[in-house]
Structures are given as structure tokens and as C-alpha cells.
Amino acid sequence: MPVQTITRKTETAKPKLAVYKFSSCDGCQLSLLNLEDELLDIVGAVEIAYFLEARRAEQPPPYDIGMVEGSISTPEEAERIRQVRRDCKYLVTIGACATSGGIQALRNWADVDQYKQYVYAHPQYVASLETATPIATHVFVDFELRGCPVNARQLLELITSLLKGRKPNIPNYSLCIECKRRGLPCVMVSKGEPCLGPITQAGCGALCPGCHRACYGCFGPMEQPNMDSLGHQLTGTQKRTAREMKHMLRMFNGYLEPFKQASDHYERQEKQNA
Amino acid sequence: MSVPDGKRWFLPKESLDALIAVLHQQQYVVIGPVFHDRAIRLEQVQRADQLARGVRDEHSGGQYRLIDGNQELLFEYVVGPDSAKKFFFPPRQELFSLHVKGEQFVIDKVGPAAPKLAILGLRPCDLAAIAVQDRVFGYHQPAGDEAPWASGFRCESELYYTQAREQSLLIAVNCVRPGGTCFCASWGNGPQVNKDMPYDLAMTEMRKGFVIRSKSRKGAAIISSLSLRDADDAEVELEGLLLQRAAEHMGRQLQTDDLPQLLDRAIDSPHWDNVAKRCLSCGNCTMVCPTCFCSTVSDSDDLATGSTTRTREWESCYTHQFSYTTSGPVRSSIRARYRHWLRHKLDTWHDQFGVSGCVGCGRCITWCPVGIDLTAEVESIRRYDSRDENHAPPRITVEARP
């Protein structure tokens, strides 16, 4: 087990941490840097061996923990991730891009060449893949942290649990559990908001419902989400259109099942309605 | 429905502040219903003008709205998402912190001390729920109760709960305007308090004040320190009429007399599949339920100090991981989890604690995002049951631990 390897390592030298960036906005890496009160403790417990956003100095692989931000969207990235996997004993994807493909996975339903024409003056210089895909599509991933961005507490929990050699305490249940523990009144019930909380994995601490907003599902699907029932409620009682449903489901984790399947369903429905 | 005997006093509206002041004098932290975040919530109050006033609530399956009500009235609503549960059994609680020194565990910190709370504005169903949790957490054992749980079987024996309950003062408000999802009358738990309920004072609101009664010595002491006048005959009669009208206007009904037998027979009811299609397994019903008591503990580490903290949080039997054992989750489908919850609440709770786990507050109906209605589901199960009378598997009982 990689967990044990890391624990053994602590007895002699500090475990080495590497943080990688692929196609992403850097927000998840920033979440790590934003752990201001704990950052010195983390540096005390692990050796930051490769983290270009934090320091210029690099130490050579192998690394004990590799954290990967971003999705695979270029041929170069598809190659690089294989080397990253070889370099890291324990590989963790951090955030929606690395775990589900992220916002850029919207291209998977579109024509990338057309997008390039719109955006770039000289699209011929842009080498990109037809799709943006999660890291786990390319290499074996030991653990996934969800969210856009990841939750800093969960990052810290993951690092400490790996150092202690115990299972990370990262729940898979619905956001509602966290939301109700905070004592927040359900925004769906009390305001009629189109909340994805009942199908979304907890972990953010109910950030959006805490600001009187509906959850937009940036932590992706929870364990066994009942897509049909929530969809029925949103399109029925709340009268949301198929187009709205598609957009909601595809926002951050659209390429992760079963959000993908459900969003495809609403796309077909949207076309039928048109 | 039993009406408690005893004397009634009259508390004028303007004396509510005096009541709160008396509670403060006795070192109570006063909790009351306030209007906060589009809902009636139970929070700490300092003065009577912080209490929600002139609002009504509209409840239906999966829908809750507050609308303008009579500005003279403070308690025109029924229950919001909060119940007394969150005070006696907090949603998140650090139990202790420790670190390892040599061969020993050294305790760094223990859990918080139990607060001394006076909760104002609890409804009769809330009191019934407190009585249920008193059994669950081993606070109080009614004399002469021979149920299996009374012989020492406890789900949890809970120090914080028992201390907080011991110190608490409960001031109930009878319901004169039941909500759309209320069915307390079906359980005999409302709309007014009864003698089995744990309360100190109970009030019924009228335009100018409250008809108030006391049940305990603590409650009587507060009445005497407020030097209230007796309620006159007209006020007592009006109270009776208001409460009778309320009993006739319950939003929902439930036939409760045969539920354990019905649900035992219904172990393979086709209706569980129907509910499973709608149930989100999100856990909202268990979170707002005033009697649900499941929790989980987890440990977290502090990298700087090396200290480990054990925290208890509310959990739900609706989560997949909740029934996780070495061989995987025991209840791996939503169907199994809904069935487990409903049967526990209405059926096996009797075996475990000697009472029903449902008090008829209607929270699970209102706060279910897709409006699954406990009373309607039971009726559907009943319809399937009456269609197939031969379908009667043996009764499953829970044995008390030796």
C-alpha cells in the first residue's frame, strides 16, 4: 500500500511532495497556498520537491505524493502525465479539471477546430486534443479530491492522513448532509432554487447554500445520485427547461458520469423540443 | 386527547420581556424562534422583539414559504427546520483531543460543558420528540415501563445530552394554526401539550397575551416571580376553542394504530420500488427529523501540535457509507435505505425504545427536496397490503441485549 510507504518514509526523511499543473486555472494550487495558517506546518512535515507555482527550485523524482491539477487537453500533456505517474508513488488528482475534465471538457461536445477559429488569430499554432479528459482516463489515480476549486480543509486532511498512514476522511455523501449540519434552511424547499446539492458530493462545507444560493455541483456526483428524481422535480415543479438542466449539469463536472449521461439526455430532449 | 389539569395564568404580551429577564437572571441562555434566512429558526435571543412576529408559514411536500401574518401575533407559524435536537445533541461536537507521549495517551482537551438553556416556543410535537430522544440517549426512564429498552438497552448513553436536558427549561407554545404537513394529532402529540410531555411552562397565544400553565416546580417558580394574574373564564374557554379548532385542521393524517404490524408485513412491498425512484437518498429528512439520532465519529490530526481530535457529527442512514462493514454496505440500494428508515421510525423503534420514532411534526415532508410524504407512503403501503392479505412473513423482532 502506498500509504504505508509514506509512513515508513517519515521515520527517516520527510516525504517529498510534488504539485503538477495541467490544463487548469491554478485555483486548486492556490487553495494549497491559501492554507496560510497551516502552510508552515505542511512544509515542516513534507519536503516540497516540485511545485512551480510556489518555488523555483526543483528536486528530482521520485516523489512520495503527487498532486495533479488540470485535465489532459494537449498531446504534450497526454505524454507528460505518464511520466508523472512513474515519478509519484501516490497520485492524487485535485479539483474538477483533473477529476472530471473540468469546464474545458465542454469542448468534448463541440468541434474544437471551430472553437480555435473563434478564439485565436492563428489557430494553426495551437496544438490541442479533440477532448479534455480526466487524469484517470490516462493513468491510474490513487485518490481524487473534488471541487472547483478543491476545499483547502480536504487538501489538508488528505496530506495529514497520508502522513499518519490512515484513511482520508473524505465523505461521498450528498451536500445536503453538510448543509443541514450547518443548520442552513434548504434553498430548494424555502426558495425554489434549482439546487444540485441532493446529487452532489459533500466537501465544500455548503459554501453556496451558506450564501443563500443553490449548489451548482462543482464537487460532482455523490455516491449513487438519483438524477432522475431531482431532474423530475426541477423540470416539473420548478419548470426548468431541458436546456437549463443541460447547462447546470455540464458546468463543472459534465464529463463525469452520471452527470454526463443525464446532460446528454437533456440535450436530446432540448433538440426534440426545438 | 388528555388536557392537563391545573391552573391557568395570563401573561400579557408586554410581559414577555419580563419573562426573558427572569430567565436571564437564573443564568439561562434563552433560545427562541426568530426569522432568519427565509425560515423560522431556533436561535439565542436577548429580548422579546427579536422573536419572529407577524409571519405565517406555508408547508407542503418539498415547499416552505413564509408570508405576512397578523402583526399582533408572535406564534402564527408552526415548526421550521430546527428542533431542540440541535441544542441537546449538536450537529458537530469535538469530543476530545489527545496526543501520544511515550507509551501514553495524554488528553489535551475534553468536550464542551453542557449549556443551561431555556428554550421558548417549542411545539407539542417538539416536546414529544424530546421525550423520544430522552429514551434514546438514556436521560429519563418512565417508571413502570417494561419495554426491552427499559431493562438497560441503550442505543447511546450520552453525558452531554443528559446534562443539557437536566439543566434545561422548556417553554412550549400550543399550536392554534397547524401547518400543511402537520399530523401530530394522529399521534396524540398535539396541537396542545399533554401530561406525558416534558415541559415546564406551556402557553397558548391570544391577541393580548398568553394563557399559560406550568407543569414543574421550575415553571411554577417563574410564574410566581412574574406575579401574573389568573386567566379568566373567557380566556380559558377561548383557549379550549382555539385548540379544538386546531386539532380539526391538521394538514395531514396518519392511521397509527397498526403501523408496526403493517410495516412488518410490508417488508417486500412493491411500494418500496416506487419510493426508491423518487428518493434522492440525500438525508434531508433525517437531518430535520427531531428524533433521528445517528452520528459518526472521525479523527483529525493537527500537524503542528501532533494532537488528534475526535469529532462527532450527525450522520444519516441514507448515506451509502453509513452501513459500511468489512463486506461492504449492508444497505446498498436507495430502496433498502428508505425502507430501513421508515420501518425503523414507525416499527422497529417500538422494539428498541418502546415508542414510535415519529411524532407527526411533518418536517420530513416539508423539507424533502422532492416532497416525499411519509403519510402518503404509508397509505400506499397499506393499499398494497390490503390487496394481498396472504402476504404475511413472520414478524422480525429485536432482542434486548442481556
Side-chain angles (χ1 to χ4, degrees), chain B residues 218-334:
Chain B
K218 280 194 273 188
I222 285 166
I223 298 260
S224 65
S225 66
L226 285 169
S227 46
L228 301 177
R229 72 165 169 84
D230 294 355
D232 61 34
D233 290 348
E235 285 156 356
V236 173
E237 190 184 347
L238 179 59
E239 181 192 32
L241 289 171
L242 286 170
L243 294 172
Q244 191 190 337
R245 188 187 61 174
E248 290 159 4
H249 286 81
M250 289 285 142
R252 297 280 198 280
Q253 276 190 330
L254 182 68
Q255 186 191 326
T256 56
D257 50 2
D258 64 342
L259 287 176
Q261 296 79 11
L262 173 72
L263 288 164
D264 275 350
R265 287 197 302 272
I267 190 108
D268 287 321
S269 174
H271 190 62
W272 302 120
D273 290 319
N274 305 340
V275 191
K277 282 185 193 131
R278 283 179 293 143
C279 177
L280 298 165
S281 203
C282 60
N284 268 301
C285 48
T286 56
M287 296 280 131
V288 295
C289 177
T291 67
C292 275
F293 57 87
C294 287
S295 64
T296 184
V297 288
S298 60
D299 294 345
S300 58
D301 307 286
D302 188 321
L303 280 178
T305 62
S307 181
T308 296
T309 303
R310 178 157 294 180
T311 306
R312 183 183 65 188
E313 291 177 297
W314 286 356
E315 244 278 25
S316 171
C317 54
Y318 278 97
T319 70
H320 192 239
Q321 68 184 33
F322 184 69
S323 69
Y324 198 90
T325 64
T326 44
S327 60
V330 175
R331 292 178 285 274
S332 57
S333 67
I334 294 180

Side-chain angles (χ1 to χ4, degrees), chain A residues 41 160 164 166 169 173-174 176 180-181 183 185 187 189-192 198 212 222-224 226 229 233, chain B residues 37-38 41 64-65 91 276-279 282 284 287 298 301 303-304 313-314 319-321 332 337 366 369:
Chain A
D41 302 333
T160 40
K164 293 268 172 181
R166 64 169 169 80
N169 184 23
Y173 47 62
S174 75
C176 303
K180 297 304 155 302
R181 278 185 194 145
V187 294
V189 171
S190 68
K191 277 177 88 181
H212 320 298
M222 68 170 211
E223 54 180 28
Q224 296 184 320
N226 191 337
S229 177
Q233 182 74 7
Chain B
D37 276 5
R38 319 169 303 281
R41 312 272 295 276
Y64 176 85
R65 293 289 185 279
K277 282 185 193 131
R278 283 179 293 143
C279 177
C282 60
N284 268 301
M287 296 280 131
S298 60
D301 307 286
L303 280 178
E313 291 177 297
W314 286 356
T319 70
H320 192 239
Q321 68 184 33
S332 57
R337 297 203 283 275
T366 302

Side-chain angles (χ1 to χ4, degrees), chain B residues 132 136 153 155-156 187 259-260 263-264 267 272 286 289 291-295 316-318 322 331 336-359 374 378 395 398:
Chain B
V132 171
V136 171
F153 176 74
C155 191
E156 290 183 45
W187 287 112
L259 287 176
L263 288 164
D264 275 350
I267 190 108
W272 302 120
T286 56
C289 177
T291 67
C292 275
F293 57 87
C294 287
S295 64
S316 171
C317 54
Y318 278 97
F322 184 69
R331 292 178 285 274
R337 297 203 283 275
Y338 185 86
R339 181 177 72 176
H340 170 78
W341 177 73
L342 193 73
R343 290 190 71 241
H344 189 210
K345 200 105 296 213
L346 302 176
D347 176 1
T348 54
W349 206 293
H350 286 275
D351 301 322
Q352 203 177 1
F353 302 114
V355 283
S356 159
C358 175
V359 294
L374 179 141
V378 169
R395 177 168 165 78
V398 178

Side-chain angles (χ1 to χ4, degrees), chain B residues 3 10 16 37 48 51 59 113 122 130 142 175 188 194 196 217 224 238 270 275 320 339:
Chain B
V3 179
F10 190 80
L16 264 183
D37 276 5
L51 297 170
H59 295 251
L122 291 171
I130 291 172
C175 290
N194 66 42
D196 300 326
R217 267 184 296 148
S224 65
L238 179 59
V275 191
H320 192 239
R339 181 177 72 176

Side-chain angles (χ1 to χ4, degrees), chain B residues 87-103:
Chain B
F87 299 106
F88 300 134
F89 173 51
R92 183 173 194 284
Q93 199 169 26
E94 290 184 359
L95 301 177
F96 58 83
S97 301
L98 56 74
H99 69 273
V100 181
K101 192 178 178 189
E103 298 283 294

Side-chain angles (χ1 to χ4, degrees), chain A residues 3 26 34 69 73 95 130 139 146 155 159 161 173 202 218 249:
Chain A
V3 176
D26 294 41
N34 279 346
E69 177 200 81
S73 70
E130 284 291 304
V139 294
R146 303 277 192 81
L155 259 180
I159 295 170
S161 66
Y173 47 62
C218 77
L249 291 167

